[in-house]
Amino acid sequence: MKANNTLNYTFLSLGAVIIIVPFLWMVAISVSSTHTVSSLDVGQFFKSLHFSSFSKLFLEYSVSIYIINSFIVSLFSTLGQVILCALSGYIFARAEFKYKNIIFIVYLATMMMPVQATIIPQYILVSKMGLTNTYLGLIIPGLFAAFGTFLMKQHFSSIPKAIEEAAILDGIPPLKIFFYIMLPLVKPGLAVLTVMSFMASWNDYLWPLMVASDQGHTTLPLFLAQLQGAWYVDYSVLMAGTLISVIPILIVYLSAQKHFIQSVASVGVK
């Protein structure tokens, strides 16, 4: 048993190193001068700190516009997805109607379709609605997620029906039961869905590339891609922008960390 634990900890430590080293390398390059990065002299990276890359991003490239665009799209996309998935998950878990199971299976089957198969019809629909180069065009397709519905259905199904029946006997309206009784009981599921949804929306590249062709609606991932020129790449600026793009995801994860871990732990207990 002791040997197994040692082996497990060794693999976990190795995995942690593999994940952390590229992150530290990104931080080192972002606070280095362009000359140091070009020389590839590792010893020079930590001798002096240069924050010119960050000032260049904000003063020369106006990165704040792209951060705000990404924040608006990710915030409303996440809020909408969490609300819709919670409602649909609750309906599939509790409501009784004809062909419920068949509809649910068909809905889940959409997860097996590759994004590339649906993105063209999706773009044609958004284009015909006149939503290209708008926040709505960027947000609306991200509101629907079959996995989120499945996740919330599983959490709602784990709650005893007696709680809901007692609320109905007390004369509480259905919407109040959902918002004030059922939702607080599935906080771990909501936390997981929030983190996953925000991360997917924040890092999304393909859909904004198709819908947002003007600079006014360009998101941060598109801007970072634009920094990679055909003949020259300023790696310190690129890594500084990438480091900035990581911060919101860390904040969202740390905010939901308690419920996120609780959800994972509950799955392990089951």
Side-chain angles (χ1 to χ4, degrees), residues 19 21 26 44:
I19 292 171
V21 166
M26 176 182 70
Q44 293 295 324

PDB file of all heavy atoms in Angstrom, residues 19 21 26 44:
ATOM      1  N   ILE A  19       2.433  20.657 -15.774  1.00  0.00           N
ATOM      2  CA  ILE A  19       1.437  21.724 -15.959  1.00  0.00           C
ATOM      3  C   ILE A  19       1.999  23.090 -15.567  1.00  0.00           C
ATOM      4  O   ILE A  19       1.764  24.091 -16.243  1.00  0.00           O
ATOM      5  CB  ILE A  19       0.177  21.407 -15.128  1.00  0.00           C
ATOM      6  CG1 ILE A  19      -0.524  20.172 -15.713  1.00  0.00           C
ATOM      7  CG2 ILE A  19      -0.783  22.596 -15.115  1.00  0.00           C
ATOM      8  CD1 ILE A  19      -1.650  19.654 -14.859  1.00  0.00           C
ATOM      9  N   VAL A  21       5.283  24.187 -15.215  1.00  0.00           N
ATOM     10  CA  VAL A  21       6.471  24.718 -15.905  1.00  0.00           C
ATOM     11  C   VAL A  21       6.108  25.611 -17.105  1.00  0.00           C
ATOM     12  O   VAL A  21       6.640  26.724 -17.232  1.00  0.00           O
ATOM     13  CB  VAL A  21       7.420  23.565 -16.323  1.00  0.00           C
ATOM     14  CG1 VAL A  21       8.459  24.044 -17.324  1.00  0.00           C
ATOM     15  CG2 VAL A  21       8.112  23.003 -15.098  1.00  0.00           C
ATOM     16  N   MET A  26       5.728  31.080 -19.292  1.00  0.00           N
ATOM     17  CA  MET A  26       4.937  32.174 -19.859  1.00  0.00           C
ATOM     18  C   MET A  26       5.109  33.443 -19.019  1.00  0.00           C
ATOM     19  O   MET A  26       5.300  34.540 -19.577  1.00  0.00           O
ATOM     20  CB  MET A  26       3.458  31.773 -19.886  1.00  0.00           C
ATOM     21  CG  MET A  26       2.521  32.868 -20.373  1.00  0.00           C
ATOM     22  SD  MET A  26       0.795  32.346 -20.317  1.00  0.00           S
ATOM     23  CE  MET A  26       0.532  32.288 -18.538  1.00  0.00           C
ATOM     24  N   GLN A  44      19.134  35.225 -17.957  1.00  0.00           N
ATOM     25  CA  GLN A  44      18.797  36.655 -17.931  1.00  0.00           C
ATOM     26  C   GLN A  44      17.330  36.906 -17.591  1.00  0.00           C
ATOM     27  O   GLN A  44      16.956  38.017 -17.234  1.00  0.00           O
ATOM     28  CB  GLN A  44      19.096  37.279 -19.312  1.00  0.00           C
ATOM     29  CG  GLN A  44      20.570  37.326 -19.672  1.00  0.00           C
ATOM     30  CD  GLN A  44      21.351  38.237 -18.741  1.00  0.00           C
ATOM     31  OE1 GLN A  44      20.854  39.275 -18.306  1.00  0.00           O
ATOM     32  NE2 GLN A  44      22.583  37.844 -18.414  1.00  0.00           N
TER      33      GLN A  44
END
